[in-house]
């Protein structure tokens, strides 16, 4: 029997690319709450007023991490209505169709559906420089199946890494560049 609600293979590939490219997210909620194992929570250029900005950016990044770990209520408070994604998707797209808080939440939801129990952990503390913040992460999860060309069995545990860079305007994230180790993910999915 065919599931009429199943995601078509091309759409599934578009959705998994963000997981590979974005896994897009940053860290587990516990990592956001306890950064003592990753060192300082933010590094900033020196100068007047930088400490207050760094604290606000750190709070935004903590919310960003919770968002990527499934707390979608974080999106309206940190995502601009003009939010744009820059990502090389597996289907050749550039991520430009993902817009605003609703678009990001939909993308994250679809990404998380492809990998059960998907969690992000920081590898390097956030780097903050003025209106830009960057974070290096590791994602782990359990493959749910359905990736076109993948030979890995559903239930396969995967781990992959990436870096998120975010631009801030008016106290919200407005642009997002994601760079993930897609080769690492596709190898584990036996999709090469």
């Amino acid at each position: 029997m065919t599931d009429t609600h199943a995601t078509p293979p091309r759409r599934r590939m578009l959705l998994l690319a963000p997981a590979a490219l974005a896994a897009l997210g940053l860290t587990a909620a516990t990592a956001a709450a306890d950064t003592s194992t990753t060192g300082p929570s933010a590094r900033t250029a020196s100068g007047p007023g930088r400490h207050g900005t760094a604290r606000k950016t750190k709070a935004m990044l903590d919310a960003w991490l919770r968002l990527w770990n499934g707390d979608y209520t974080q999106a309206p408070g940190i995502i601009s209505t003009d939010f744009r994604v820059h990502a090389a998707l597996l289907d050749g797209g550039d991520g430009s169709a993902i817009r605003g808080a609703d678009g990001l939440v939909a993308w994250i939801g679809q990404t998380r559906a492809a990998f059960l129990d998907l969690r992000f952990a920081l590898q390097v503390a956030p780097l903050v420089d003025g209106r830009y913040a960057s974070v290096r992460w590791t994602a782990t999860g359990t493959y749910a199946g359905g990736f076109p060309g993948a030979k890995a069995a559903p239930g396969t545990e995967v781990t992959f890494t990436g870096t998120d860079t975010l631009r801030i305007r008016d106290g919200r994230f407005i642009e997002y560049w994601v760079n993930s180790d897609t080769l690492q993910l596709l190898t584990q999915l036996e999709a090469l």
Side-chain angles (χ1 to χ4, degrees):
M1 180 189 300
T2 303
D3 181 359
T4 58
H5 298 291
T7 304
R10 180 169 165 75
R11 180 77 174 139
R12 170 82 66 170
M13 184 180 291
L14 172 66
L15 302 177
L16 288 179
L21 301 172
L24 242 206
L26 292 175
T27 189
T30 56
D34 178 14
T35 58
S36 61
T37 61
T38 61
S41 61
R43 302 199 193 290
T44 64
S46 61
R50 293 285 185 174
H51 295 292
T53 301
R55 278 191 295 275
K56 181 171 180 155
T57 300
K58 168 67 169 86
M60 289 175 64
L61 287 170
D62 286 347
W64 174 258
L65 299 173
R66 288 190 303 275
L67 171 63
W68 273 97
N69 281 299
D71 182 359
Y72 303 135
T73 64
Q74 300 297 315
I78 61 168
I79 303 300
S80 169
T81 56
D82 297 326
F83 182 81
R84 298 183 317 168
V85 173
H86 305 280
L89 304 178
L90 290 177
D91 71 348
D94 62 5
S96 62
I98 303 164
R99 297 287 192 154
D102 290 342
L104 180 62
V105 166
W107 187 40
I108 292 170
Q110 293 163 343
T111 300
R112 294 184 59 75
F115 298 97
L116 308 174
D117 65 5
L118 185 62
R119 286 286 175 227
F120 298 91
L122 291 178
Q123 281 188 333
V124 178
L127 301 172
V128 179
D129 186 9
R131 59 190 179 138
Y132 292 93
S134 187
V135 118
R136 175 77 177 167
W137 48 262
T138 298
T140 58
T142 306
Y143 175 52
F147 189 88
K151 295 176 185 76
T156 299
E157 289 186 26
V158 297
T159 299
F160 54 103
T161 59
T163 302
D164 290 350
T165 301
L166 298 135
R167 183 168 70 93
I168 303 162
R169 185 180 75 195
D170 300 328
R172 295 180 188 261
F173 295 123
I174 188 159
E175 279 187 280
Y176 172 40
W177 292 266
V178 61
N179 204 350
S180 292
D181 190 340
T182 306
L183 178 60
Q184 185 181 25
L185 177 62
L186 293 178
T187 299
Q188 292 171 76
L189 295 178
E190 301 174 31
L192 300 177

